[in-house]
Amino acid sequence: MMQRNDVFVEGAVIAGLFDRVIWIWPSWDTGTHDEDHDISQEEVGWTVHGGQKVFCACKVTPESRQCDYAVNNTDLPLDPSSCNVLRDYSLEVVRDKAVLQLMKDEDWIEPDETIILDIDEDFYGVESAAAVLINAGIPLHVIERLDRQISRLLCPRNTWEENLADLYIFNILEAITARCMHHAHKNTPCKNTDGEITVFAYNFAKKKMDNQLKLHGEMFCFDMTHQTNLNEQLQSVITSLLELTHSQLGVLAETGFCLVSTSVLSEGYVPFQICHGLNFPNSSKITFHLPTRAEVIGRSFQLGEILPAFLANAKVVTIARSIRDGYTPRRYFRTIETDILNSLYASLKSSFSLLYSGDLLGGVKGWSQRHKH
């Protein structure tokens, strides 16, 4: 049922976990909001799309009732009569700076209200991971082609296999980059470095693949009876990789490879590809904002001012990294997460247990540290 980002809120409302949602947005996203504080009545339920039940939501005003549903992260209009409403709730959309003023009103958060607090790390900023690849000079058509080729070669079914698949491609990139650096100018595609690099790269990758097939063959898209097809897919991946320079291969290795969505919340096949997320430049409604280090520090200070209003009544606090979908600026991930945890430690009046999901992308240390032990 995870049709889009934050759809878990609708699921939680339907489950009866809460009847009021306060969404605090950062000031750098001013362009997509008309008011600093907006309160509306919302309804959630279900409709049918493609023979399957999907979430639908309606915004209710005295004048109208407008409904939509989401397919592949895209909101589509829906006839209100087609949304089978299960629950309604109050939605407050508040600018970060306005929260500090609202906190002075003792009636804004009632003493008997129970709070579930969710902190998303992209509150600090949103960066397109795909833009990092494009800015490195990797053409969009090459990115898309590699996505298709890799998704036909590797089909991890769970977090463990996802990590193995990422490491497999990472090792291939390391081997090609090392050879390419010794024979090529930094702007020369690796395929032009020496006549043997194609054979070297394929043989290296093929040997690694044969070893993995014996140990973890399920993470590949074909079983042993389709070895010829598997070899062809591997060759196509190698051919595309060799079109890149060694510096571009380095950027690709740092970006990494992952499932498009977590296997825990998905049913059936989930594509495995370059871990660039969902938002490409000029093709997304998302506001991109890359903060400076000073801005990250300032936002952490602001978070420390806001948290006390909610933590007194909070029973559960969740933190979302938003790395898989390509939102949170990866260069600041460690600083952002550390600051959030430090703010929680400083604001809470009692001790708490910190739990990490076993299916967290990149594990406890995070995506950039995933290959370091």
Side-chain angles (χ1 to χ4, degrees), residues 295-314:
E295 188 178 347
V296 170
I297 294 172
R299 191 151 298 282
S300 295
F301 178 80
Q302 182 189 56
L303 184 65
E305 292 183 302
I306 293 174
L307 283 177
F310 301 97
L311 287 177
N313 294 14

Side-chain angles (χ1 to χ4, degrees), residues 305-344:
E305 292 183 302
I306 293 174
L307 283 177
F310 301 97
L311 287 177
N313 294 14
K315 301 301 181 183
V316 177
V317 178
T318 61
I319 300 174
R321 285 182 173 172
S322 291
I323 294 293
R324 186 187 297 276
D325 49 20
Y327 287 5
T328 302
R330 297 182 183 184
R331 71 191 72 182
Y332 295 130
F333 153 72
R334 179 51 57 193
T335 300
I336 290 172
E337 189 161 296
T338 299
D339 282 1
I340 291 174
L341 291 175
N342 285 341
S343 295
L344 287 171

Side-chain angles (χ1 to χ4, degrees), residues 51-277:
Q52 292 185 328
K53 284 185 177 182
V54 296
F55 282 130
C56 56
C58 303
K59 183 169 184 173
V60 182
T61 67
E63 297 80 23
S64 66
R65 180 169 174 260
Q66 296 180 323
C67 303
D68 61 32
Y69 68 106
V71 177
N72 298 326
N73 255 9
T74 300
D75 290 329
L76 301 174
L78 180 67
D79 186 319
S81 63
S82 297
C83 186
N84 301 282
V85 176
L86 299 176
R87 290 185 184 272
D88 60 5
Y89 67 101
S90 170
L91 173 63
E92 292 185 51
V93 182
V94 190
R95 184 176 179 173
D96 49 10
K97 294 180 179 179
V99 172
L100 299 177
Q101 185 63 36
L102 288 168
M103 288 169 59
K104 298 177 183 178
D105 182 354
E106 296 181 356
D107 296 328
W108 187 48
I109 305 293
E110 298 289 344
D112 60 346
E113 284 189 284
T114 299
I115 294 175
I116 297 176
L117 176 64
D118 176 66
I119 304 172
D120 199 314
E121 294 181 10
D122 65 10
F123 180 71
Y124 283 73
V126 171
E127 178 182 35
S128 169
V132 175
L133 298 169
I134 294 171
N135 292 339
I138 305 177
L140 179 59
H141 73 273
V142 174
I143 296 172
E144 293 174 338
R145 188 204 314 149
L146 273 167
D147 280 343
R148 292 192 301 270
Q149 292 169 338
I150 292 170
S151 69
R152 293 168 185 163
L153 175 68
L154 291 156
C155 295
R157 304 163 302 168
N158 51 51
T159 304
W160 171 252
E161 290 180 358
E162 179 183 32
N163 293 335
L164 288 174
D166 169 61
L167 183 59
Y168 170 67
I169 300 292
F170 180 82
N171 288 335
I172 293 173
L173 290 173
E174 274 195 322
I176 295 176
T177 302
R179 173 127 180 180
C180 187
M181 286 180 64
H182 289 296
H183 294 84
H185 185 269
K186 64 179 181 179
N187 295 323
T188 302
C190 289
K191 65 181 180 181
N192 297 335
T193 56
D194 71 88
E196 301 298 322
I197 194 168
T198 300
V199 175
F200 163 79
Y202 177 77
N203 287 343
F204 178 89
K206 177 69 165 57
K207 183 178 180 180
K208 287 278 187 182
M209 182 177 71
D210 290 343
N211 290 336
Q212 289 292 344
L213 281 169
K214 296 174 184 176
L215 299 172
H216 310 288
E218 296 83 0
M219 76 176 184
F220 290 91
C221 297
F222 302 100
D223 59 30
M224 295 298 290
T225 61
H226 297 86
Q227 185 72 53
T228 301
N229 291 336
L230 196 59
N231 293 341
E232 290 174 355
Q233 293 300 332
L234 179 60
Q235 183 64 68
S236 69
V237 171
I238 295 299
T239 300
S240 292
L241 291 177
L242 291 177
E243 293 182 17
L244 306 180
T245 67
H246 64 75
S247 59
Q248 290 171 339
L249 290 174
V251 173
L252 186 60
E254 185 175 351
T255 303
F257 307 85
C258 64
L259 293 168
V260 173
S261 61
T262 173
S263 58
V264 178
L265 299 175
S266 304
E267 296 180 4
Y269 170 73
V270 179
F272 178 82
Q273 59 184 41
I274 303 170
C275 205
H276 50 55

